[in-house]
Amino acid sequence: MCTAATYKTKDFYFGRTLDYEFSYGDEVVITPRNYPFHFRHIDAIESHYAMIGMAHVVNNDPLYYDAFNECGLAMAGLNFVGNAFYGELDDTKENVSQFEFIPWVLAKFQCVKDVKEALKNMNLVGTSFSKQLPTASLHWIIADKDEAIVVESMKDGIHIYENTIGVLTNNPPFNQQMFMLNNYMNLS
C-alpha cells in the first residue's frame, strides 16, 4: 500500500512509498525549466518550473509518480482502484489527462492556493498514455509548506479536500480515511 506524507518543522518535507510488486523502470527524473511538455488536449507548455521526482520515462515523456517543483510545490498520485472516474472531454474547460496531471500542476503553479483556483476550470480526463500503459486509477495529494489538499476524480465529479494531516494512502476515498482515524484516537 502506497502512502504519501508531509512533515513540517522549520522546513517542509514530502515523501511517499512506492509499494509495487514489480517496477516499471522507475527512476529519478529532473525536468528542466525549458523542457517542452506536450499535452494531449491542451497547448504545450514550453517554459515552466523545473521539477524532480520519480517517473517512468517513455519516449522522453516523464510519467511522474510524484515530484517537487523548484517553488516547493509537491504532488504524488496514489492508487485509487474502484473509485477513480475520469470525465469526457469538455470544450468549456482545460482538459488534462490523468497521466499529465502532475506535470500540468508542477509546471504551472507555485503553491496549493494557486492550484485550487486553477482546478475550478480543469477537467480531468481518462485518456490513456498508450495501449501498453492504460489509464491509471489514481487520487493525488498536493502540498506546499503551508497546506495540503487531496484531489479525487469520482463518478459524481472532482472532489478537493483540505488535508490538515498531510497524509494520503491508497483506497478508500479520503473522507473515509479521515473518519477511520477515529479508530486510533486513544493512541499516543
Side-chain angles (χ1 to χ4, degrees):
M1 170 156 310
C2 297
T3 303
T6 63
Y7 182 68
K8 297 178 209 175
T9 59
K10 62 181 178 141
D11 296 312
F12 169 63
Y13 299 93
F14 181 92
R16 66 90 55 84
T17 62
L18 190 56
D19 299 330
Y20 272 12
E21 299 84 32
F22 56 89
S23 171
Y24 283 101
D26 331 320
E27 57 187 293
V28 176
V29 175
I30 298 171
T31 303
R33 288 186 191 114
N34 295 319
Y35 180 86
F37 278 113
H38 297 280
F39 296 93
R40 298 287 171 92
H41 307 294
I42 58 176
D43 292 337
I45 299 175
E46 303 281 337
S47 180
H48 53 77
Y49 299 115
M51 59 190 81
I52 183 172
M54 290 300 294
H56 171 63
V57 180
V58 180
N59 299 327
N60 293 321
D61 286 324
L63 302 175
Y64 278 107
Y65 302 109
D66 55 78
F68 240 103
N69 73 15
E70 65 184 288
C71 303
L73 183 63
M75 185 171 178
L78 291 95
N79 277 334
F80 198 45
V81 176
N83 289 301
F85 183 87
Y86 305 111
E88 297 295 322
L89 293 174
D90 179 347
D91 292 337
T92 66
K93 295 195 174 214
E94 195 164 9
N95 294 291
V96 177
S97 298
Q98 58 79 31
F99 67 89
E100 302 167 331
F101 192 34
I102 290 176
W104 181 79
V105 166
L106 297 182
K108 296 175 67 166
F109 305 108
Q110 294 182 15
C111 62
V112 171
K113 179 182 173 191
D114 294 341
V115 174
K116 287 192 289 190
E117 189 61 33
L119 289 175
K120 294 175 185 175
N121 192 40
M122 190 268 311
N123 180 38
L124 204 53
V125 297
T127 305
S128 64
F129 182 79
S130 68
K131 288 181 182 178
Q132 294 76 29
L133 295 170
T135 302
S137 296
L138 303 172
H139 60 173
W140 296 266
I141 182 171
I142 306 170
D144 62 26
K145 65 181 179 50
D146 297 317
E147 62 182 316
I149 60 172
V150 169
V151 177
E152 295 178 338
S153 184
M154 300 172 71
K155 281 188 178 182
D156 62 344
I158 291 182
H159 300 266
I160 303 166
Y161 298 100
E162 297 295 327
N163 185 342
T164 57
I165 59 168
V167 176
L168 179 66
T169 190
N170 298 342
N171 279 316
F174 182 69
N175 60 348
Q176 292 176 34
Q177 289 183 34
M178 291 297 290
F179 182 78
M180 289 169 33
L181 289 175
N182 289 317
N183 295 331
Y184 306 101
M185 61 191 301
N186 293 320
L187 295 180
S188 60

